[in-house]
Amino acid sequence: MKKIKTIYLLTGVCIFLLSVSSCRSMKESSVNPLKKIPDTFNSVTTTPVEALSWKAIFTGKDLSALIDSALKNNYDLRSGVQRVIVAGANLKLAKARLLPTLNANVSAGLDRFGKYTMNGVGNYDTNFSGNLDKDQLIPSPTPDYFAGFRSSWEIDIWGKLSKRKAAAYNRYLASSEGLKWYQTQLVSQVASLYYELAALDKKSEILKRNISLQNKGLEVVEAQMAGGRATALAVSQFKAQLLATKGSQYQIKQSIYDIENQLNMLLGRFRGKINRDSTLIVKSLPDSIYAGIPSTVILARPDIRQAELELIAAKADVSAARRAFLPSLTLDAYAGYNAFKLPLIFSPGSLAAGFLGGLTAPVLNRAALKTSNKVANAAQLTSFNQYQKAIIKGYQEVSGQLMAIENFKKAYQVKSTEVAELQNAVSTANELYLAGYASYLEVIIAQASVLQAEMEQVDLKKSSYNSLIGLYRSVGG
């Protein structure tokens, strides 16, 4: 008996040493340090960071109402909420693995032992004992009835389960950051489409005004043709210009319809009127945009925080994979009624309990554990690369939007001057044409030029607003 115990002890020690040596041989993949972020973004102007709240930037009543509706009803956002719930459930599962299990168990079985087996011989010999009453005689085949509780508990002596819980916890936080990032994207999308509609409304207004002017020009040239002062070619040219402008109106209408559909989709509805302030597109942007913030502010962006938390979770996975080589200490216990005769199952003499503790270490499945360790290390490096990429991308986005705001602002100012000059040129061309000092082609060219310039002016203002929206999004909302 003493020799058997010694053999068991030596076997356990060998398993433990083998597991420890295997764990040490599984090295973690080296991760390079993060690249240093530049100290500042492009220096433009400064204002408090609170000005970048969407409610502070998008102050229009109609736009605010649309954003609020989208945050409540958008189906992708609702799906994101469910993903956070799933991550929270996975966290609870990881926590539950640290606790013992307790299961109610009712079972019945039947065994027929051979005459030359230990149980068969023992049961046969036991039945001849004079110390047994009739209820204690063992029938053959032998039933086995149990009603009670069974428990199992893996003691987290190496922290393997704790690391898995840490990974689940950080993935839960990552999913929450992902939801915040989508909320930022959603606000940006709604605002961008809203300003697109405002720009289209302004373009429609410009077209109507130009159609009115072109109609007057056509009336003049038709009257001149009737008096012999203009040709049919001039009339045709003016009509062609007028028809082209009217055709552009229908393109604008279709674009408005498409944008309204996109907005309704974001709002989670089939259709609905999009109330909007069409004069918003000609209003000035905030005089000062926050640009002097430290560049490390991008580390608080939800998508970058999500990538960081995914990296932390991946590191925990690597640690858990390495500790899987170590022996697992499991405690098993049961308590309840156990008998080989059903009528006796709930008698006091059938009460039984047991306890078993043991170390279990991988031997034949070590190759699978090594593969899992490689997978975890590769996932960690992937998460690191994604994190570094997200930081660089975030920095470039903020820097680019700050530069775009300044450049589009200056371009709009220049374009406004150009529009004013071209409007004067149209008036001058009309006067000179009536006086006979300019041809009808010069009038047509002047009208076409001012129309194009006015359209481009609206596009520049829309681009300025889109840059402001992009800045809001790029700093994480």
Side-chain angles (χ1 to χ4, degrees), residues 56 66 106 142 199 261 266 321 370 394 434 470:
L66 289 173
V106 176
T142 307
N261 276 347
L266 293 178
K370 288 181 180 179
L434 292 173

Side-chain angles (χ1 to χ4, degrees), residues 34 304 383-395:
L34 289 169
I304 294 178
S383 297
F384 172 80
N385 292 330
Q386 293 298 319
Y387 182 42
Q388 180 69 85
K389 176 184 175 182
I391 293 175
I392 295 174
K393 180 182 178 183
Y395 177 85

Side-chain angles (χ1 to χ4, degrees), residues 152-227:
S152 182
W153 187 15
E154 181 180 351
I155 307 298
D156 192 28
I157 52 178
W158 313 112
K160 175 181 66 177
L161 300 179
S162 297
K163 288 296 181 181
R164 289 175 179 169
K165 185 189 79 169
Y169 174 68
N170 283 285
R171 287 197 171 93
Y172 168 70
L173 295 180
S175 66
S176 299
E177 293 295 334
L179 182 62
K180 292 178 184 177
W181 180 238
Y182 183 75
Q183 288 174 334
T184 300
Q185 301 293 321
L186 182 60
V187 170
S188 301
Q189 285 179 311
V190 172
S192 180
L193 291 173
Y194 181 84
Y195 286 117
E196 179 74 22
L197 279 179
L200 289 171
D201 288 340
K202 183 62 178 178
K203 286 183 176 181
S204 181
E205 177 188 325
I206 291 171
L207 288 174
K208 288 179 181 178
R209 186 174 69 251
N210 276 269
I211 288 172
S212 177
L213 293 173
Q214 290 170 10
N215 270 321
K216 291 180 180 178
L218 179 60
E219 291 173 0
V220 170
V221 77
E222 284 178 337
Q224 288 184 334
M225 186 182 72

Side-chain angles (χ1 to χ4, degrees), residues 31-39 295-296 298-299 304 311 384-385 387-393 395-396:
V31 177
N32 296 326
L34 289 169
K35 294 182 179 180
K36 186 179 183 301
I37 307 174
D39 293 332
S295 57
T296 50
I298 62 173
L299 295 178
I304 294 178
L311 175 58
F384 172 80
N385 292 330
Y387 182 42
Q388 180 69 85
K389 176 184 175 182
I391 293 175
I392 295 174
K393 180 182 178 183
Y395 177 85
Q396 291 180 345

Side-chain angles (χ1 to χ4, degrees), residues 266-326:
L266 293 178
L267 298 177
R269 64 192 189 188
F270 288 101
R271 58 188 302 176
K273 184 180 179 181
I274 306 297
N275 295 318
R276 53 190 181 270
D277 179 8
S278 299
T279 63
L280 196 64
I281 198 65
V282 297
K283 294 181 180 179
S284 300
L285 269 68
D287 292 333
S288 56
I289 301 299
Y290 193 88
I293 55 176
S295 57
T296 50
V297 73
I298 62 173
L299 295 178
R301 260 176 54 155
D303 64 324
I304 294 178
R305 282 285 299 145
Q306 182 181 16
E308 180 185 10
L309 291 165
E310 290 286 357
L311 175 58
I312 296 173
K315 287 181 179 180
D317 284 337
V318 170
S319 183
R322 294 180 70 243
R323 298 179 192 201
F325 288 91
L326 297 171

